[in-house]
Amino acid sequence: MLRIDLNCDLGEIEGAEGVLLDEALMPYVSSINVACGGHAGDPERIRKVVELAVKFNVAVGAHPGYADRANFGRVIVPMSPAELHKLVLQQITLVAEIVEESGSTLHHVKPHGALYNFAATSPETAHAIATAVHALDPRCQLMGLSRSCLTDAANLLGLRAVHEVFADRNYLAEGSLVPRNQDNAVLQDPEQIAVRAASIVETGAVIAIDGTQLTFPCDTLCIHSDTPNAVTIAACIRTVFDKHSIAVRAVD
């Protein structure tokens, strides 16, 4: 049987609606990335997400981002490597402490938004993030865009690099994600996303927006909680995975 991790970014949407969304998505995923208070989130919300994850036996990861709530962390904030290291370490330490209070251990770190995309192509940015994760816990996994500078930085430091592919995002021919300000950046049809996700797991290939076939190592697939119909998308993926005998498990 094939096996894949299915992850989702949670703790990002404010208010009761966001809390209900977190709980609705939790049964369908094997790992989650909780906003650390930079682009979204706060200690109280982190605790709620962690409590849910423990309840559903879901691996908990930290989701650090630029401290820019106005732009939801989706705009690059110029920072030196030392400043970025400090920012990431502060955010992931907060989550790690809350996870430890729950009796568990932080499973992984996955940067958010502009920080994630910049780290995919910037060795300096990737190194600053990887050294922050290593400083927190060398056993912690580092999740990044498959075959990117971030996964390279993880490998260089001896961290477990988790190669991520996106089930609900389109790709450009050179392997990067289509920017969100462009048409067709985000897929929204649940059946299309589910079939695509199963194909990625089975073939290791992603079809770029221009028809180019890209081949990636894939340890984990991502879906986004802020995509319309996110719960329906998650449920549809699990239904299609069951039909294709694809097990959903967190990365060891």
Side-chain angles (χ1 to χ4, degrees), residues 189-204:
D189 179 78
E191 185 66 28
Q192 178 192 14
I193 293 169
V195 170
R196 185 172 186 258
S199 176
I200 291 168
V201 176
E202 292 173 336
T203 68

Side-chain angles (χ1 to χ4, degrees), residues 13-56:
I13 298 175
E14 296 182 357
E17 179 184 357
V19 174
L20 290 173
L21 179 61
D22 291 345
E23 186 166 10
L25 283 165
M26 200 72 72
Y28 297 106
V29 298
S30 48
S31 66
I32 57 98
N33 323 299
V34 58
C36 303
H39 69 286
D42 56 51
E44 181 181 356
R45 184 63 178 279
I46 294 169
R47 286 189 177 87
K48 288 181 179 179
V49 175
V50 170
E51 288 171 1
L52 281 172
V54 171
K55 175 183 176 181
F56 286 95

Side-chain angles (χ1 to χ4, degrees), residues 32-36 60-64 91-92 95-96 106 108-111:
I32 57 98
N33 323 299
V34 58
C36 303
V60 179
H63 197 39
Q91 292 187 30
I92 65 178
V95 178
L106 187 68
H108 65 274
V109 171
K110 172 188 168 181

Side-chain angles (χ1 to χ4, degrees), residues 27-167:
Y28 297 106
V29 298
S30 48
S31 66
I32 57 98
N33 323 299
V34 58
C36 303
H39 69 286
D42 56 51
E44 181 181 356
R45 184 63 178 279
I46 294 169
R47 286 189 177 87
K48 288 181 179 179
V49 175
V50 170
E51 288 171 1
L52 281 172
V54 171
K55 175 183 176 181
F56 286 95
N57 194 30
V58 170
V60 179
H63 197 39
Y66 290 118
D68 180 17
R69 290 176 180 251
N71 293 300
F72 197 62
R74 287 178 173 159
V75 176
I76 292 174
V77 178
M79 301 179 73
S80 70
E83 291 171 332
L84 186 56
H85 173 99
K86 181 179 179 180
L87 175 77
V88 171
L89 185 56
Q90 287 176 336
Q91 292 187 30
I92 65 178
T93 298
L94 171 62
V95 178
E97 290 174 349
I98 292 173
V99 172
E100 288 173 5
E101 290 171 6
S102 75
S104 188
T105 303
L106 187 68
H107 180 263
H108 65 274
V109 171
K110 172 188 168 181
H112 166 79
L115 181 58
Y116 179 98
N117 291 325
F118 195 27
T121 59
S122 166
E124 296 80 11
T125 301
H127 181 72
I129 296 169
T131 55
V133 175
H134 192 275
L136 176 72
D137 185 351
R139 300 165 298 174
C140 190
Q141 302 176 19
L142 180 54
M143 188 181 294
L145 190 68
S146 185
R147 198 178 286 152
S148 68
C149 288
L150 189 56
T151 53
D152 288 345
N155 287 327
L156 285 171
L157 286 177
L159 296 168
R160 169 67 159 94
V162 179
H163 293 266
E164 181 177 44
V165 178
F166 288 79

